[in-house]
Amino acid sequence: MSTLKIAIQKSGRLNEDSIQILRDCGISINNGNDQLKAEASNFPLEVLYLRNSDIPQYLIDGVVDLAIVGDNLLAEKGKNIEVVQKLGFSKCKVSVAVPKTFEYNSIQDLAGLRIATSYPNTVTEYFSSFGLTVDIHQISGSVEIAPNIGLADAIVDIVSSGSTLFKNNLKEVEVILKSEAVLAVSPKVSPEIQKHIDTLKFRIQSVLRARNSKYILMNVPNDKIDEIGKILPVLRSLTVLPLAQEGWSSVHSVIDKDTFWDVIDQLKDAGAEGILICPIEKMVL
């Protein structure tokens, strides 16, 4: 049987979340300290721990079949690589930042200035879209220090919380793109490998649906069930179970975790009582 090869960032912000989502998919990975390659014991999968910036080329060359990578990196080095699933973690922005003392009014203020960045292709494309040229200084790390040491007038870098910019007396003035971890696939996968990819993708989607949902159950007067049903977003239909108390039922459904407080207020107003919210481990549709 062929083995699916997936690339994961060797270290850094993507590594732990990438391993966790595979484990949540029921995949047991036998990896020790400092291993660059590890096999799964219960799925035809091999994990390669690679330097983040190398992953797009490994996908293009077909050395790996899949990768969990930030789509900001694909925008820079792998625009033709297909993304089959957004994963919802490691969210960040690729932004333009300038010193706090810089009087910024519009993108035109940056024309011709020195920009330090690890994303030269992204920067060139972005400024070209405004008909502007800038002097790009490509550096691989500690980009945020460049204005302070006189290397650049501004930077383009990843921004998560903004604390690093604040510590280096910088301010964000433009967002070039928003990024998150994605599941990307090589253009050179075989039909047999594609079957493994489809299976893994199905598992990941089940995990992500569960992460984004909550199980809700409540006691509802029977004459209010139709009204409650109009409030709840249901998968197919409500689950309704009669209670020992005549005229009441237990109503069960699934609700989006980001909106459930607003929905709960509506449910209470409609007559629901004893509302319970529970986490969901997996959700298979």
Side-chain angles (χ1 to χ4, degrees), residues 153-199:
D153 304 299
I155 70 167
V156 171
D157 200 15
I158 289 176
V159 176
S160 296
S161 66
S163 61
T164 302
L165 295 183
F166 180 81
K167 291 175 183 178
N168 287 276
N169 293 311
L170 300 173
K171 60 183 180 182
E172 181 184 66
V173 293
E174 297 284 344
V175 176
I176 295 180
L177 61 88
K178 294 182 179 180
S179 175
E180 65 181 274
V182 297
L183 189 67
V185 62
S186 168
K188 297 184 177 182
V189 297
S190 67
E192 187 176 3
I193 289 294
Q194 185 61 51
K195 291 180 181 179
H196 296 327
I197 291 174
D198 292 341
T199 299

Side-chain angles (χ1 to χ4, degrees), residues 192-244:
E192 187 176 3
I193 289 294
Q194 185 61 51
K195 291 180 181 179
H196 296 327
I197 291 174
D198 292 341
T199 299
L200 180 59
K201 181 183 173 183
F202 174 78
R203 292 192 187 189
I204 288 175
Q205 288 174 338
S206 298
V207 169
L208 293 178
R209 278 192 294 266
R211 288 182 180 181
N212 294 325
S213 303
K214 297 288 185 182
Y215 190 76
I216 183 170
L217 58 157
M218 71 209 78
N219 298 330
V220 178
N222 288 344
D223 60 357
K224 297 290 186 180
I225 290 176
D226 287 344
E227 184 178 351
I228 293 294
K230 294 176 182 177
I231 297 170
L232 285 170
V234 294
L235 299 177
R236 187 178 296 274
S237 64
L238 295 176
T239 298
V240 180
L241 304 173
L243 294 177

